[in-house]
Amino acid sequence: MGAKLFFYYSAMNAGKSTTLLQADFNYREQGMKTMLFTPSLDDRAGRSGVIQSRIGIQANATVFDKEDDLFLEIRRGHMEGNV
């Protein structure tokens, strides 16, 4: 089965982070592997590398910045069996 990339957008306080974290949980519960990414400048959770929703759920994520090649990171994840 091939990998899928989902893109969600909406207004602030619409539940995007919650939806992402719920999907991550559901995929992992079914034995699938996921990769979460967050930009290095995003420290809303108190530190970089964390995705956190307003309702308190959170997950660690790979930090990236503008010089990083996300396609390479995802390919590396596939090769290492992380996805």
Side-chain angles (χ1 to χ4, degrees):
M1 173 160 59
K4 294 182 181 181
L5 173 67
F6 293 96
F7 180 77
Y8 290 94
Y9 65 95
S10 63
M12 289 178 58
N13 296 324
K16 297 177 296 294
S17 295
T18 302
T19 300
L20 170 69
L21 294 170
Q22 288 173 330
D24 178 63
F25 176 84
N26 289 337
Y27 283 125
R28 290 178 184 271
E29 190 175 54
Q30 294 175 30
M32 298 179 200
K33 297 179 181 180
T34 62
M35 294 179 78
L36 300 176
F37 294 92
T38 187
S40 59
L41 55 90
D42 182 1
D43 61 359
R44 291 175 288 176
R47 66 186 196 281
S48 295
V50 175
I51 298 171
Q52 182 176 8
S53 75
R54 287 177 286 120
I55 63 172
I57 57 177
Q58 67 181 25
N60 291 326
T62 300
V63 177
F64 71 93
D65 59 30
K66 63 184 178 181
E67 289 84 26
D68 290 325
D69 182 343
L70 293 180
F71 291 109
L72 180 62
E73 290 297 322
I74 293 167
R75 182 179 298 135
R76 189 175 296 138
H78 275 279
M79 293 174 69
E80 294 173 358
N82 296 330
V83 181

